[in-house]
Amino acid sequence: MRLYRVGLFSDAYLPSPNGVATSVYLLMRELRRMGHEAWVLAPEIPEYDRQEEWVVRVPSVPYPFFEGQRLAMPSSRQLPTEFEIFHTHDPLFIGIWGARLAYRHRLPHVSTFHTHLEKYAHYIPGVATLEKYTGLMTRVCQAFYNRADLVIAPTQSFAELVENFYEVEREIRVIPTGIDTDILESAPEPVSPWPSGKRRLLHVGRLGEEKSVDVVIRALGEIRKESDAHLALVGIGPQQEELAQLAADLGLSQHVTFVGRVPYERIGGYYRMAELFLFASTTETQGLVIWEAEAVGVPVVAVRAEGAMDGVEVGVSGYLVGVGDYRSMAERALELLRDEELRLRFSQGARAFANRRSAKRVAEAIVEVYDQATQLVEVEPRRLKIPFPRLPRNTLQGSR
């Protein structure tokens, strides 16, 4: 096996509580265990002073419209070594930096397509309107990923979307994000956010519009008509006050706990204590939190949306319901809460289903992609460079 010096370029990294950050961390760790010299290049976070090995923090400034997000200002002076593989994880500041370095030095560029960037356009003033009328962010994604030598998609359904909707012409390899069951199982047990004697429901994720947490809260209202359930929401986000008001309007304030941000190494404690995991997001490429819940034996009720569909083995690890259908979500949740034998059977099925995605196996598959990308660059050092899109003139005027 050839060993590489790998740069993992990502605008999202720990302690940010999201799937991309977790994915990059686990990949770096497993590559290191295999003997590769892997580094993460990510934005600095001033209040995060933890000592990190193999991480280069790039100077950054806060982004005022997206809580927790920072805008990096990279420079080649910050590179810790001469990389042989550039692996980017988004088409933002650090991702574009990695892509440019790979092209400049004629070195392999592999990129993982993690996120529907256009579905987050509402966090950038004016960009949602531009996306609506011009498809700007969709076209940026298209241009960025067509600059890679190989593209990784986390699920087959998303790979088809990357090819057909984003019109990415590079070869796409399907490799899911790995799960580290050991970290989840060894996390310390937290102070329970669930009052004693209540049925324990859990949601983990950003409290933002794109995650549809309101659907989960409305489902709780239906569930409580029959079962004395309590919902714990792990995560932070701009919609927290709005969600708290929704809970109050539905008479659920005493039955919802906003846990806040939880570090990745501690999140497993909450999963292990939960009886059921509810998830309503329609913007996932793979729904990593679904897999994490299943990995410790928590059955899932999620919406039938891209990403979540690949993360639930229906009738084995959980159920899928229609997008936004909080009543059906509640009905499926109650099926499992009424029948403890059924819930325990689903718990076992969830563990077995999630165990197919060990972080070690995923890293080994990604190294095979590095090998393939290296061969491509040796044969064709300068691949077609697809330009980033320019806005057409008078687009908005012409559409009024």
Side-chain angles (χ1 to χ4, degrees):
M1 176 184 71
R2 176 175 174 177
L3 297 179
Y4 293 102
R5 294 189 300 275
V6 183
L8 303 173
F9 291 74
S10 178
D11 287 85
Y13 193 60
L14 303 179
S16 297
N18 62 60
V20 177
T22 301
S23 171
V24 174
Y25 165 71
L26 291 176
L27 177 58
M28 181 271 285
R29 190 196 66 186
E30 292 303 319
L31 290 173
R32 282 274 171 182
R33 287 179 175 177
M34 295 167 68
H36 302 277
E37 184 184 341
W39 292 81
V40 173
L41 295 99
E44 68 173 358
I45 302 178
E47 64 272 18
Y48 185 63
D49 58 0
R50 177 177 172 181
Q51 295 298 312
E52 301 172 297
E53 288 188 310
W54 319 119
V55 178
V56 174
R57 292 290 182 174
V58 177
S60 67
V61 295
Y63 180 62
F65 304 108
F66 195 134
E67 184 179 2
Q69 184 67 43
R70 298 186 66 85
L71 305 182
M73 299 178 289
S75 165
S76 295
R77 293 190 299 272
Q78 294 146 355
L79 296 176
T81 187
E82 294 184 359
F83 294 123
E84 298 169 295
I85 299 286
F86 291 81
H87 187 167
T88 61
H89 292 267
D90 55 60
L92 301 176
F93 290 84
I94 290 182
I96 291 173
W97 178 40
R100 286 177 172 170
L101 288 170
Y103 188 80
R104 181 188 306 162
H105 298 290
R106 304 188 183 191
L107 289 167
H109 173 204
V110 173
S111 193
T112 299
F113 203 136
H114 287 282
T115 306
H116 289 287
L117 199 62
E118 75 282 357
K119 293 186 179 180
Y120 292 75
H122 56 279
Y123 287 113
I124 310 174
V127 171
T129 302
L130 286 174
E131 174 63 23
K132 179 180 178 180
Y133 290 105
T134 70
L136 173 65
M137 297 185 79
T138 301
R139 292 163 62 200
V140 166
C141 289
Q142 177 192 21
F144 178 82
Y145 290 102
N146 273 316
R147 291 181 172 213
D149 296 295
L150 285 166
V151 175
I152 296 173
T155 66
Q156 182 58 46
S157 62
F158 191 62
E160 293 169 3
L161 188 77
V162 170
E163 180 178 4
N164 299 320
F165 177 73
Y166 293 99
E167 298 181 351
V168 172
E169 299 174 359
R170 300 307 191 216
E171 181 178 345
I172 302 168
R173 295 285 300 276
V174 177
I175 304 176
T177 292
I179 301 294
D180 189 325
T181 306
D182 291 341
I183 289 181
L184 298 173
E185 293 285 8
S186 63
E189 187 169 307
V191 174
S192 176
W194 297 278
S196 178
K198 307 289 185 180
R199 304 309 300 267
R200 301 180 300 279
L201 310 182
L202 177 66
H203 175 277
V204 176
R206 178 176 170 78
L207 303 182
E209 177 185 340
E210 70 282 354
K211 299 298 184 181
S212 302
V213 184
D214 61 303
V215 175
V216 175
I217 292 175
R218 293 182 189 278
L220 172 67
E222 297 296 312
I223 292 168
R224 283 197 52 80
K225 292 177 181 179
E226 181 177 325
S227 177
D228 190 12
H230 189 95
L231 173 65
L233 298 173
V234 173
I236 60 173
Q239 212 181 19
Q240 180 165 330
E241 289 186 11
E242 183 179 335
L243 293 171
Q245 185 59 54
L246 174 62
D249 293 344
L250 296 174
L252 298 172
S253 293
Q254 301 302 312
H255 310 295
V256 177
T257 297
F258 289 86
V259 177
R261 185 197 298 269
V262 176
Y264 176 62
E265 62 270 18
R266 293 180 173 271
I267 195 74
Y270 292 90
Y271 284 125
R272 296 197 312 270
M273 296 176 73
E275 294 179 279
L276 205 59
F277 189 83
L278 305 182
F279 199 65
S281 173
T282 61
T283 65
E284 307 303 303
T285 59
Q286 60 181 321
L288 183 60
V289 291
I290 292 175
W291 290 92
E292 290 176 342
E294 291 174 326
V296 294
V298 184
V300 171
V301 181
V303 297
R304 192 177 292 104
E306 185 186 329
M309 288 191 295
D310 296 279
V312 177
E313 189 169 13
V314 176
V316 176
S317 71
Y319 291 121
L320 294 173
V321 301
V323 171
D325 190 349
Y326 65 89
R327 289 189 175 90
S328 292
M329 177 174 283
E331 289 171 6
R332 287 301 196 180
L334 284 168
E335 283 185 36
L336 295 167
L337 294 174
R338 290 187 198 113
D339 188 339
E340 186 63 9
E341 183 179 340
L342 177 65
R343 194 187 69 81
L344 291 175
R345 188 164 74 243
F346 270 55
S347 175
Q348 293 173 347
R351 285 182 183 273
F353 182 56
N355 282 341
R356 304 172 191 173
R357 292 179 55 163
S358 75
K360 182 176 183 294
R361 291 176 183 173
V362 167
E364 290 170 347
I366 288 177
V367 170
E368 292 179 6
V369 174
Y370 295 166
D371 290 337
Q372 185 179 354
T374 300
Q375 293 170 4
L376 280 172
V377 171
E378 289 173 352
V379 172
E380 188 182 354
R382 282 285 192 187
R383 307 194 80 198
L384 175 63
K385 183 175 181 179
I386 299 177
F388 278 95
R390 292 183 178 179
L391 287 177
R393 293 183 179 179
N394 300 322
T395 300
L396 296 180
Q397 288 183 343
S399 61
R400 288 176 182 172

